[in-house]
Structures are given as C-alpha cells and as structure tokens.
C-alpha cells in the first residue's frame, strides 16, 4: 500500500491519498479531469496503517484544503510533511 501525492500540473493543487496502485489511481482521476495529473511522490506503508496515516496527513495540511482531498501548498512542503508523517506515526500506537 502507498500514501501518494498527486499533483495537478496545471494549477499546482495536490491530492493526498492512499492506494495499492497510485498510478492507476492517478489514471482514474485523470479520466474526469481536463488538467494534467501526475503522481508526484509515493511512500510505501503497511496496509493496516494507510487510512490512519492519510487521515493524519489531512489534519496536518487542513489549513491548505481547497476542496475534498485537494490542497494548495508547495509540492516540496507536502512531500516533507508526508515523509515526516510516516516516520512519526507509522509504528506509533497512539495513532488510531
């Protein structure tokens, strides 16, 4: 399982989510979007922690939320926050 960041290349918005196949997830999102989307970053995580880690990331970047799971923050900042989230919370029983 992977946590991923998908970037809307046209406007710089990013989507944070989890999927077993991030490229397929990106392709399914692309079908409904005229904007170019790309998988910008992935981190492999255990399947039983993926949803909890995604929820933690959404809390961490909540102030940047534009709509749904799309956020407006620099890609480099999002990548750093995602990496930190996984390091901090992946094996911590306090999350969950």
């Amino acid at each position: 399982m992977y946590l991923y960041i998908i970037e809307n290349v046209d406007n710089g918005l990013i989507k944070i989510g989890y999927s077993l196949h991030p490229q397929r997830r990106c392709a399914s999102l692309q079908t409904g979007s005229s904007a170019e989307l790309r998988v910008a970053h992935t981190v492999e995580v255990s399947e039983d922690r993926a949803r909890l880690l995604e929820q933690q990331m959404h809390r961490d970047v909540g102030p940047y939320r534009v709509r749904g799971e799309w956020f407006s923050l620099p890609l480099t900042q999002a990548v750093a926050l995602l990496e930190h989230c996984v390091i901090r919370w992946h094996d911590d029983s306090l999350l969950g």
Side-chain angles (χ1 to χ4, degrees):
M1 187 67 67
Y2 295 89
L3 288 178
Y4 64 74
I5 297 173
I6 291 176
E7 180 185 29
N8 178 322
V9 176
D10 295 350
N11 63 19
L13 293 180
I14 60 162
K15 181 181 186 326
I16 298 166
Y18 68 94
S19 174
L20 191 56
H21 303 286
Q23 293 293 346
R24 286 188 204 165
R25 178 67 177 128
C26 187
S28 71
L29 291 169
Q30 187 65 69
T31 301
S33 176
S34 60
E36 180 185 349
L37 304 177
R38 72 178 187 98
V39 176
H41 191 72
T42 62
V43 178
E44 190 169 6
V45 297
S46 62
E47 191 168 346
D48 64 320
R49 301 295 285 174
R51 183 180 59 80
L52 293 171
L53 290 165
E54 178 203 40
Q55 291 172 343
Q56 182 61 46
M57 269 301 293
H58 286 179
R59 284 190 290 275
D60 290 348
V61 298
Y64 302 98
R65 186 182 307 273
V66 174
R67 66 185 168 279
E69 294 182 351
W70 289 91
F71 302 87
S72 178
L73 73 157
L75 179 59
T76 55
Q77 184 178 355
V79 168
L81 287 168
L82 184 65
E83 293 285 343
H84 173 78
C85 180
V86 171
I87 290 167
R88 169 63 184 93
W89 294 108
H90 189 275
D91 296 320
D92 194 324
S93 61
L94 292 176
L95 183 63

